[in-house]
Amino acid sequence: MPFLSSELALRELILMSIAFVLCSVVGLERSIHQKNAGYRTHVLVGMGACGLTLVSWYGFGAGIAGHGAGIDPTRIAAQIVSGIGFLGGGVIFKGRNFVRGLTTAATIWITAAIGMSVGSGLVVLGAMLTVAHL
């Protein structure tokens, strides 16, 4: 069982910590510029995406490999993308001659991508996404 492995627990702790740091950087940048979605939002989105990715992989994927047919850990990742699209849509406002919130929606999406990358063990990709955002 996955929850009995101290090695797995340490890996989860390290990945969640990395996701926290990277998403904090994005959130701090947004807070410094006083944007609608700031530090807490970006950290929550990134940590949630990382946590759900870890659950997807270790809870439903590799943790039970060979114990059932049709198990696909990528299904949760697809739902994260859809959910973040819905969340991002909520911060976009359209007026007569302007549209606001597109960049905020994009940063929420990239924060989710950072969390998902780190949660799936692709730490360098998560770091590069953070650098690309900055």
Side-chain angles (χ1 to χ4, degrees):
M1 298 231 135
F3 61 88
L4 297 176
S5 168
S6 61
E7 182 180 319
L8 177 59
L10 180 61
R11 178 176 171 83
E12 292 169 0
L13 181 63
I14 290 169
L15 291 174
M16 288 295 286
S17 298
I18 293 169
F20 176 79
V21 169
L22 293 177
C23 295
S24 290
V25 170
V26 175
L28 285 171
E29 186 273 332
R30 299 299 288 173
S31 291
I32 288 169
H33 292 100
Q34 299 178 344
K35 299 299 180 179
N36 293 336
Y39 178 79
R40 286 182 54 189
T41 301
H42 287 84
V43 169
L44 288 171
V45 167
M47 296 293 291
C50 182
L52 289 170
T53 301
L54 287 168
V55 167
S56 177
W57 181 251
Y58 293 109
F60 302 114
I64 55 175
H67 291 94
I71 297 169
D72 183 8
T74 63
R75 289 173 51 183
I76 291 180
Q79 296 307 311
I80 293 170
V81 172
S82 297
I84 295 303
F86 179 77
L87 183 65
V91 300
I92 298 172
F93 302 102
K94 182 182 178 302
R96 273 193 174 161
N97 297 324
F98 67 91
V99 175
R100 296 185 59 155
L102 287 175
T103 304
T104 300
T107 60
I108 290 172
W109 210 317
I110 200 166
T111 304
I114 292 166
M116 289 173 65
S117 298
V118 173
S120 59
L122 303 172
V123 176
V124 173
L125 176 60
M128 289 307 300
L129 287 167
T130 304
V131 169
H133 162 73
L134 297 176

